[in-house]
Amino acid sequence: MSLLPKTTADFGSTEYWNSFFRKRGKQAFEWYGEYPELCGQLHKYIKSKDELLMVGCGNSKLSMDLYDVGFKKITNIDISPVVIKQMQEANRTSRPEMTWCQMDATAMTFPDETFSVVLDKGTLDALFTDDSETVLTTIRKYFSEIRRVLRTGGRYVCISLLQEHILREVVDHFPANHFMLRIVRCPEAGSRQQGEDGGGSSLVVFAVVATKFKALPMRVLEVCLAGDQMERVQQAEELVAAIASAQKAAMVCNGLARGSIAGMAEVSIDLFHPNEKNVPRYTIHVLDQAPKRGSGKYAAFIVPQGRETEWLFATPAGRQKLQQSANFDRLAVVTLHRGQRYEDLDTVKEELGESVKSLAPAGIQGTIPYLSIGAEVGRRETIHSGHSALSGDYVVEEVVGDNGRLLRRLIFLANQSVVQSEAALRMARVRGSRAPQKVVDPGHLACQHHLYMTIGVQLAMKLAATQPTPPIAIVGLGGGGLCTFIRECLQQTNITAIEIDEEIEQIAVKYFGLKLDERLRVVIDDGVHFLATEANRGAHYTALLFDVDSKDPTVGMSCPPAAFVEPDALANARKLVGTDGIFVLNLVCRNDGLRETTVSALKRAFRYVLSYKLDEDVNEVFYCTDNERLHDATSWQEQLRVAADDVNKLAKKEKLTRESELIDLSDFVNALKI
């Protein structure tokens, strides 16, 4: 026997509800939860002395449960005379003070300002089937009647799913008519919804609390989506966005509760404060793996501030490795966002509690373990923020990295998961200062791929041994990390860095310790234009390096921009290094098709092309040359191995790397690809 309407329009008809209640008989039908799930919110806004009107009561037990715990002044109305007769008969003896009336909620016959509370559990949703003009006319009559029968200071309390068209009408109507509007999530009610398969539902239940005033000097909009903390928002769109976010998240949580996503892509959810809809407070990545004997069911891992850009936490592959190490069937990896303030790890855990719980697989009982690195939430301090006309907003920030080392980073806010430049800091005495100051430590390898790019420069220098100070060109300055490393490691070089953004040069000098002198200069120019100009004038460079990032995050190749691997740009690169120099490219490409296209272009431009893919990074370093002394692949690989050994020794001598950062020579040679 079907108890669902054939069309949503039926929800508003007397005939449908009469038929519904005849079929159902005396069995109560509870939309959106029962009294135990709703009482936590209802008792905040309804007091025992209130004169309460329950609209669209149906055969719900809610008003009866309220009566039984001390709310005696309750009037129930419903459009269906069938259900009113049923409820009168059922409650005549046991609840003699409760009133039942057959009445249309859009045309009530009560005098003005009769009630202090109007309670609506699902009636608004039943009436508001769509946003057609006919339905809107009915809803506005309904709201007008609520305003009329409510006393000043009275409250309209509505339990609803708040579909978008309903929410927008609520947000438009009540504040405009001098109601303070508050929307509160009812998590216990939502958790009780059941699907046909017995699993939890993605429905999210809310309590709308609209309090009537004679006049309000300004609109008051409040929302609470978790816990008891109420957030006041300034704009209606902020409230709408917050509700939509909770609803979408519930759909995801419902799917995660129903089954495993092992073997599938991870699921990611951003968590926002309602009044900060454009700035996420947390991002949670959920991963599943096939259940293993002896492994835990579920845990959350909190990534300390400043560590979120590391491979282990910043990439899907890294997070998979983290999950395997943590040995849990499901792991929620939580990252904390810049622009937010976090008190301590315990506060973060408390704040995340409900969200982490909602992402658990079915059947999880008891406390969910939280994992992290150490017992601190991490430290992040912004020491400078600015705007580049080319790169957008950016920050220079200091974070505590691995082993407690203080790091300074340049981050473009358009791509916050990528560290554009990094330098280590140490305390040292500076001329003119009595106390030690933070200074950039040149003996820190910020990016592992810089070490491998330096191999190409070292080999080029050996092949051009007749030049005492071979000229090196590096397209892409950033914070100057690669330039500084090559300058300190290979001290015979003469370096020209090409940077399109003048702002970046100033940042590199002021915050990242870049030293400009006769051995290192910066040219402000578009890299592609520089290549063409230099090639036309017949310039020659012993080594030419591309380490330039793309400003377009939508493409699958973030380094270099596509223009740098076009045929003309590569032809100019080939002219600049000639028949004896080496061209070195740092490629960051997640799109296999784009990578293959780029590799083909390199092979068309150069006779010999070898590449090395870094294990825990997305960087792939390409070595390209036409040098006939490297007459076969074996010779090419051997020469690169010798150059790598040289770089290891020089970097170690100049204290530019830690022992763990040195090149594994056998791995390097074996991983070189033609």
Side-chain angles (χ1 to χ4, degrees):
M1 182 185 295
S2 173
L3 299 181
L4 295 177
K6 294 178 182 178
T7 66
T8 56
D10 291 342
F11 276 126
S13 72
T14 303
E15 292 76 14
Y16 169 74
W17 290 111
N18 281 335
S19 173
F20 180 94
F21 289 115
R22 285 193 188 100
K23 290 177 182 179
R24 196 164 186 89
K26 296 181 179 180
Q27 183 182 357
F29 187 76
E30 297 297 341
W31 297 98
Y32 315 152
E34 300 182 11
Y35 172 76
E37 288 80 54
L38 295 171
C39 63
Q41 297 299 335
L42 294 181
H43 286 194
K44 294 177 182 178
Y45 305 108
I46 306 174
K47 306 305 176 186
S48 59
K49 64 180 181 180
D50 279 320
E51 294 185 46
L52 192 158
L53 171 65
M54 180 127 182
V55 291
C57 61
N59 65 354
S60 169
K61 290 178 57 184
L62 181 58
S63 62
M64 294 182 279
D65 289 331
L66 287 169
Y67 186 97
D68 292 345
V69 296
F71 295 81
K72 302 301 182 184
K73 301 175 183 178
I74 303 177
T75 298
N76 301 272
I77 66 170
D78 197 278
I79 197 172
S80 167
V82 172
V83 77
I84 291 298
K85 184 177 180 181
Q86 288 177 359
M87 299 306 282
Q88 285 173 335
E89 293 174 353
N91 292 281
R92 182 175 290 114
T93 302
S94 57
R95 300 175 183 89
E97 297 175 56
M98 189 139 63
T99 303
W100 304 87
C101 302
Q102 189 274 322
M103 192 180 296
D104 184 345
T106 68
M108 293 185 275
T109 57
F110 301 114
D112 294 353
E113 299 189 353
T114 300
F115 301 100
S116 56
V117 172
V118 174
L119 179 57
D120 172 340
K121 182 177 167 227
T123 298
L124 175 62
D125 290 13
L127 291 173
F128 211 159
T129 54
D130 56 52
D131 57 358
S132 66
E133 281 302 317
T134 301
V135 172
L136 281 171
T137 298
T138 300
I139 294 302
R140 286 163 186 167
K141 287 180 182 178
Y142 175 52
F143 285 169
S144 177
E145 282 294 273
I146 290 170
R147 293 201 318 270
R148 185 182 66 78
V149 301
L150 264 181
R151 298 168 188 160
T152 300
R155 295 166 298 284
Y156 171 55
V157 181
C158 175
I159 308 302
S160 169
L161 298 182
L162 286 183
Q163 293 173 274
E164 184 177 357
H165 67 283
I166 296 176
L167 174 60
R168 288 192 178 277
E169 186 66 21
V170 166
V171 169
D172 286 345
H173 179 88
F174 287 102
N177 287 278
H178 307 294
F179 278 75
M180 172 184 167
L181 182 62
R182 173 178 289 180
I183 297 180
V184 183
R185 184 173 180 178
C186 305
E188 293 84 2
S191 67
R192 283 292 300 270
Q193 300 305 307
Q194 297 294 315
E196 293 180 0
D197 60 357
S201 168
S202 60
L203 300 181
V204 187
V205 178
F206 299 93
V208 175
V209 183
T211 305
K212 180 180 176 181
F213 289 88
K214 287 186 176 180
L216 280 174
M218 59 182 290
R219 293 191 173 201
V220 180
L221 304 172
E222 294 181 338
V223 63
C224 178
L225 298 181
D228 295 320
Q229 184 177 359
M230 202 66 59
E231 300 281 352
R232 182 163 293 187
V233 298
Q234 300 301 315
Q235 303 294 329
E237 283 302 319
E238 295 178 58
L239 192 150
V240 171
I243 300 302
S245 176
Q247 291 166 332
K248 290 175 183 176
M251 293 178 65
V252 173
C253 295
N254 178 51
L256 290 171
R258 288 173 182 266
S260 171
I261 56 171
M264 302 167 60
E266 63 184 29
V267 170
S268 298
I269 298 175
D270 286 331
L271 302 180
F272 296 78
H273 268 321
N275 58 351
E276 295 179 354
K277 65 176 184 177
N278 293 321
V279 183
R281 183 157 176 82
Y282 302 100
T283 294
I284 304 181
H285 304 279
V286 182
L287 304 90
D288 278 345
Q289 62 182 349
K292 298 179 180 179
R293 182 176 296 177
S295 65
K297 288 289 186 182
Y298 178 51
F301 187 100
I302 300 174
V303 181
Q305 292 182 95
R307 304 292 296 274
E308 70 280 347
T309 57
E310 296 175 18
W311 176 84
L312 192 64
F313 312 122
T315 65
R319 290 189 286 267
Q320 287 178 5
K321 185 173 182 179
L322 176 66
Q323 181 186 25
Q324 292 165 5
S325 300
N327 202 27
F328 282 89
D329 296 343
R330 174 170 292 175
L331 188 67
V333 181
V334 183
T335 57
L336 286 58
H337 284 256
R338 60 180 46 82
Q340 300 279 358
R341 186 171 180 271
Y342 306 94
E343 292 292 338
D344 52 41
L345 200 57
D346 287 338
T347 303
V348 168
K349 291 177 183 178
E350 182 179 356
E351 206 170 42
L352 286 168
E354 286 300 320
S355 297
V356 167
K357 183 179 178 181
S358 71
L359 297 169
I364 291 294
Q365 302 291 332
T367 303
I368 297 170
Y370 282 85
L371 316 174
S372 190
I373 302 172
E376 300 297 329
V377 76
R379 173 191 153 194
R380 190 202 317 268
E381 179 185 359
T382 299
I383 62 169
H384 176 70
S385 59
H387 179 81
S388 161
L390 294 173
S391 303
D393 293 337
Y394 67 85
V395 294
V396 178
E397 62 185 21
E398 293 177 0
V399 302
V400 177
D402 191 16
N403 297 324
R405 198 167 198 181
L406 186 61
L407 303 173
R408 182 173 291 170
R409 291 173 173 169
L410 171 62
I411 307 287
F412 292 130
L413 297 185
N415 195 5
Q416 297 189 32
S417 63
V418 176
V419 177
Q420 209 285 333
S421 298
E422 180 181 279
L425 303 177
R426 59 184 174 85
M427 302 303 294
R429 292 194 177 276
V430 179
R431 184 178 297 177
S433 176
R434 294 182 179 179
Q437 303 290 315
K438 287 185 290 189
V439 298
V440 172
D441 181 4
H444 169 71
L445 181 66
C447 302
Q448 191 70 10
H449 74 275
H450 287 171
L451 192 64
Y452 291 90
M453 296 188 79
T454 305
I455 293 171
V457 180
Q458 169 64 11
L459 178 55
M461 290 174 62
K462 292 185 69 172
L463 296 174
T466 56
Q467 288 184 280
T469 55
I472 309 299
I474 301 175
V475 181
L477 174 66
L482 178 58
C483 295
T484 298
F485 186 82
I486 292 176
R487 172 198 177 108
E488 298 298 321
C489 188
L490 309 178
Q491 298 192 359
Q492 302 305 312
T493 50
N494 190 318
I495 302 170
T496 298
I498 300 90
E499 172 58 51
I500 194 172
D501 192 344
E502 188 174 3
E503 180 89 1
I504 298 301
E505 179 189 5
Q506 297 172 8
I507 293 169
V509 171
K510 186 172 182 179
Y511 296 104
F512 290 89
L514 181 68
K515 296 179 181 178
L516 302 180
D517 54 21
E518 66 279 358
R519 282 194 55 217
L520 175 56
R521 70 185 184 110
V522 175
V523 175
I524 301 299
D525 195 0
D526 176 270
V528 173
H529 178 264
F530 176 86
L531 295 174
T533 302
E534 290 291 276
N536 286 337
R537 76 175 184 86
H540 177 269
Y541 291 93
T542 300
L544 171 63
L545 287 68
F546 283 4
D547 190 32
V548 56
D549 66 306
S550 170
K551 305 301 181 189
D552 184 359
T554 63
V555 298
M557 187 165 70
S558 56
C559 184
F564 284 85
V565 289
E566 292 292 333
D568 287 349
L570 292 178
N572 286 329
R574 183 175 180 274
K575 289 179 185 177
L576 290 174
V577 298
T579 57
D580 57 347
I582 292 180
F583 168 62
V584 183
L585 169 68
N586 173 36
L587 179 69
V588 179
C589 187
R590 297 170 179 83
N591 183 300
D592 291 340
L594 279 176
R595 182 192 175 278
E596 289 304 314
T597 299
T598 301
V599 172
S600 296
L602 291 172
K603 288 181 176 180
R604 285 194 298 270
F606 293 92
R607 181 176 299 177
Y608 304 110
V609 177
L610 285 176
S611 71
Y612 177 78
K613 178 73 168 62
L614 276 69
D615 285 340
E616 291 194 352
D617 285 320
V618 291
N619 305 80
E620 188 172 7
V621 178
F622 284 81
Y623 308 95
C624 311
T625 187
D626 282 346
N627 196 309
E628 293 184 355
R629 293 170 61 185
L630 306 172
H631 51 80
D632 59 35
T634 303
S635 171
W636 194 198
Q637 290 174 321
E638 176 57 23
Q639 292 277 14
L640 280 170
R641 188 201 67 78
V642 173
D645 190 30
D646 291 341
V647 170
N648 266 354
K649 292 174 181 176
L650 290 167
K652 189 173 181 180
K653 176 185 176 184
E654 301 299 332
K655 299 180 180 178
L656 299 174
T657 62
R658 292 172 288 186
E659 194 73 30
S660 61
E661 294 171 338
L662 294 176
I663 301 163
D664 182 325
L665 297 178
S666 60
D667 169 77
F668 175 64
V669 173
N670 292 333
L672 283 170
K673 295 180 181 178
I674 300 175

